[in-house]
């Protein structure tokens, strides 16, 4: 039974990563079918990312309370049901709501599955087992853009969600038979509902306030008030967590220097590179007139570059150390994002492909080194809480990146700017945000080596 468990988790990881990357190339086709501007489609991306960010902190407690098997089965069922309702959605509003349902399942599948593996296998087998689980997660982003473009062009965008259904049903039935009952090592304490509500309000308010200028057309005063409300909720959470017996995220985490720097750096750096998967298919299809298939294939080098970078990140960190490597690479990431602004109808296709390969390499180096820095110094007693906060921050950062890019693009187009100059200004702004975030990593300890993920 335990030999099947890694494959079940691998299937769930593949479903999640494929779904995250397959949708972007189909956004123009979905917008056309739903009679919406393709530049106003960020809601279906942000709703999923924000839901994942909100639900991830509950995954550990839910697993301890109800068991890994029950939660894993429920996660697959919700993700599959959400995929079906996405495919059947006739309006953007219903599609966005369905993405929320899908996000609840997606938020639980991988962390609960990973936790089940940690409890089922001895430590000397974890590297091999986790390596097996990770491989499908790398294949998903590689297949996602071209597969999404192919389905949108030759079938319909509905199949982007429908292909999850047979995989989800198979995963559910296999899990029903082979997923072991794994009791928690400790009895779960009470869940910190007050902390969860305060932290959730913070994430929702900040993200919606950024997106409100663009898609929702909030007034500046309303947007500012919403942003201040989010910061107020975060301040309340910080005060509450210091006194709570069992807080959602332990305040002791922020006494660890590299964790503190890694969390803040993750949030701001992902404002830059989190926008690329959303902006670039729109640039290629709406700005340059590429077909969905050509757009998806053109983005393939980004995933190839990301896979290539995995083999060199450890050596680079041993040479430079975390502080200097992250300062330099974050600055380079901002420059590469800004270089997207030079793409227009006269840009040689080979130059676009080379830029995308460089983008994939730099982004992958950034993600891996940031995550490793964040978790490097955590003691075992704080590892679960720290990992949950990192996962939530990653999703929130990417969602805010999409919202920020969509807002800048909308402000440029609504002011009468032509489409390609509007994309150019957006990439330059996003690149500047990414480059400036390099200053955050000057605060890290310059530890050399390569630790986690």
């Amino acid at each position: 039974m335990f030999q099947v468990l890694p494959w079940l988790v691998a299937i769930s990881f593949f479903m999640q990563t494929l779904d995250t990357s397959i949708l972007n190339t189909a956004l123009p086709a979905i917008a056309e079918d739903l009679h919406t501007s393709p530049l106003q489609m960020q809601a279906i991306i942000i709703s999923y990312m924000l839901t994942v960010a909100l639900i991830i902190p509950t995954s550990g407690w839910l697993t301890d309370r109800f068991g890994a098997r029950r939660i894993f089965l429920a996660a697959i069922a919700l993700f599959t049901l959400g995929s079906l309702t996405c495919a059947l959605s006739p309006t953007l509003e219903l599609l966005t709501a369905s993405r929320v349902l899908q996000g609840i399942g997606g938020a639980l599948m991988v962390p609960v599955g990973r936790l089940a593996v940690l409890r089922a296998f001895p430590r000397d087998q974890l590297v091999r087992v986790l390596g097996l689980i990770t491989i499908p997660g790398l294949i998903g982003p590689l297949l996602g853009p071209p597969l999404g473009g192919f389905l949108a062009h030759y079938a319909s965008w509905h199949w982007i969600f429908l292909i999850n259904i047979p995989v989800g049903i198979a995963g559910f039935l296999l899990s029903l038979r082979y997923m072991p009952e794994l009791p928690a090592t400790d009895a779960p304490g009470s869940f910190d509902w007050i902390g969860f509500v305060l932290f959730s309000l913070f994430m929702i308010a900040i993200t919606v306030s950024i997106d409100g200028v663009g898609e929702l057309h909030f007034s500046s005063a309303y947007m500012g008030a919403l942003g201040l409300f989010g910061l107020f909720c975060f301040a309340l959470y910080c005060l509450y967590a210091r006194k709570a017996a069992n807080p959602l995220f332990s305040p002791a985490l922020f006494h660890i220097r590299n964790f503190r720097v890694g969390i803040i750096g993750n949030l701001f750096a992902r404002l830059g590179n989190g926008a690329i998967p959303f902006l670039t298919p729109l640039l290629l299809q709406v700005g340059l007139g590429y077909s969905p298939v050509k757009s998806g294939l053109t983005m393939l080098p980004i995933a190839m570059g990301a896979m290539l970078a995995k083999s060199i990140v450890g050596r680079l960190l041993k040479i430079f150390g975390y502080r200097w490597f992250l300062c330099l690479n974050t600055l380079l990431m901002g420059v590469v994002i800004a270089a997207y602004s030079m793409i227009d109808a006269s840009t040689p296709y080979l130059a676009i492909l080379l830029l995308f390969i460089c983008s994939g390499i730099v982004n992958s180096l950034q993600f891996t080194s940031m995550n490793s820095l964040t978790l490097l110094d955590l003691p075992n007693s704080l590892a679960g809480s720290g990992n949950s906060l990192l996962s939530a921050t990653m999703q929130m950062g990417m969602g805010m990146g999409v919202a920020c890019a969509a807002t800048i693009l909308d402000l440029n187009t609504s002011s009468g700017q032509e489409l390609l100059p509007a994309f150019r200004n957006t990439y330059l702004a996003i690149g500047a945000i990414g480059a400036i975030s390099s200053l955050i990593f000057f605060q890290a300890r310059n530890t050399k080596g390569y630790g986690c993920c």
Side-chain angles (χ1 to χ4, degrees):
M1 181 178 290
F2 283 173
Q3 299 307 312
V4 182
L5 176 59
W7 291 102
L8 296 177
V9 181
I11 290 172
S12 69
F13 197 15
F14 175 76
M15 288 173 64
Q16 187 193 55
T17 55
L18 179 68
D19 186 77
T20 302
S21 59
I22 196 174
L23 183 60
N24 293 304
T25 47
L27 289 179
I30 298 174
E32 181 180 1
D33 191 51
L34 299 182
H35 309 291
T36 304
S37 167
L39 305 183
Q40 301 289 332
M41 293 296 291
Q42 65 267 25
I44 62 174
I45 305 293
I46 297 171
S47 60
Y48 182 87
M49 291 180 174
L50 192 56
T51 301
V52 171
L54 293 174
I55 300 300
I56 278 177
T58 70
S59 60
W61 184 84
L62 288 171
T63 302
D64 289 341
R65 176 68 178 81
F66 298 102
R69 186 172 186 269
R70 289 182 182 177
I71 299 302
F72 192 72
L73 286 168
I76 293 179
L78 286 172
F79 187 86
T80 306
L81 178 61
S83 298
L84 177 62
T85 56
C86 283
L88 299 177
S89 297
T91 66
L92 180 61
E93 291 75 18
L94 287 175
L95 179 56
T96 302
S98 298
R99 289 283 285 171
V100 170
L101 179 61
Q102 196 183 35
I104 295 173
L108 294 174
M109 281 196 302
V110 175
V112 172
R114 189 187 295 119
L115 187 57
V117 167
L118 288 173
R119 290 175 176 170
F121 287 86
R123 289 295 186 265
D124 59 353
Q125 297 183 31
L126 280 183
V127 172
R128 177 184 62 83
V129 175
L130 292 177
L132 172 65
I133 293 170
T134 303
I135 291 173
L138 296 175
I139 296 174
L142 196 66
L143 292 178
L147 181 59
F150 179 86
L151 291 173
H153 188 74
Y154 291 107
S156 74
W157 64 266
H158 305 84
W159 284 98
I160 289 171
F161 299 106
L162 290 174
I163 60 172
N164 289 330
I165 295 173
V167 180
I169 291 174
F172 184 87
L173 294 176
L174 289 171
S175 300
L176 197 61
R177 180 170 181 178
Y178 293 108
M179 186 73 171
E181 291 281 3
L182 297 167
T185 53
D186 300 303
S190 59
F191 185 69
D192 182 16
W193 288 107
I194 296 176
F196 176 72
V197 169
L198 288 173
F199 199 80
S200 298
L201 287 174
F202 156 66
M203 288 194 290
I204 293 171
I206 293 295
T207 305
V208 173
S209 70
I210 294 173
D211 191 41
V213 179
E215 183 185 20
L216 302 176
H217 300 291
F218 289 162
S219 67
S220 298
Y222 189 80
M223 179 202 70
L226 194 58
L228 288 174
F229 173 72
L231 293 175
F232 175 71
C233 289
F234 181 69
L236 279 181
Y237 172 79
C238 292
L239 292 173
Y240 163 80
R242 293 175 62 183
K243 305 292 185 181
N246 187 29
L248 188 67
F249 303 115
S250 172
L253 289 168
F254 291 93
H255 297 157
I256 302 170
R257 180 175 171 183
N258 277 350
F259 180 85
R260 183 173 64 249
V261 172
I263 285 291
I264 298 171
N266 251 287
L267 184 62
F268 283 93
R270 289 176 191 275
L271 283 177
N273 53 28
I276 294 298
F278 167 74
L279 273 181
T280 306
L282 294 177
L283 169 66
L284 296 177
Q285 294 183 54
V286 181
L288 300 182
Y290 284 17
S291 69
V293 175
K294 185 177 180 180
S295 170
L297 292 173
T298 303
M299 293 188 66
L300 195 58
I302 297 179
M304 295 171 63
M307 294 181 70
L308 176 66
K310 294 290 185 184
S311 62
I312 62 174
V313 62
R315 280 171 284 180
L316 291 173
L317 287 172
K318 287 179 181 178
I319 294 171
F320 293 100
Y322 280 94
R323 179 199 297 161
W324 293 111
F325 177 77
L326 277 166
C327 287
L328 292 171
N329 194 75
T330 309
L331 182 62
L332 181 59
M333 179 194 73
V335 172
V336 170
I337 293 172
Y340 276 70
S341 67
M342 297 186 293
I343 297 175
D344 58 26
S346 64
T347 306
Y349 190 64
L350 180 59
I352 295 176
L353 297 181
L354 290 174
L355 175 61
F356 285 6
I357 290 176
C358 292
S359 177
I361 292 173
V362 172
N363 284 347
S364 181
L365 292 175
Q366 186 72 21
F367 291 156
T368 306
S369 54
M370 282 195 308
N371 293 353
S372 181
L373 171 76
T374 308
L375 301 176
L376 192 64
D377 295 337
L378 290 184
N380 287 336
S381 59
L382 295 176
S385 179
N387 185 58
S388 293
L389 181 55
L390 172 61
S391 299
T393 302
M394 288 163 54
Q395 293 294 329
M396 180 183 176
M398 289 188 290
M400 288 172 61
V402 173
C404 190
T407 296
I408 297 170
L409 185 61
D410 183 78
L411 290 174
N412 276 272
T413 53
S414 61
S415 65
Q417 186 78 262
E418 292 184 7
L419 201 54
L420 282 178
F423 275 106
R424 184 180 303 119
N425 294 339
T426 304
Y427 279 117
L428 288 172
I430 294 297
I433 293 172
I436 292 171
S437 65
S438 65
L439 298 174
I440 296 170
F441 295 105
F442 273 113
Q443 305 301 316
R445 288 193 306 109
N446 199 36
T447 308
K448 291 193 175 183
Y450 178 52
C452 311
C453 39

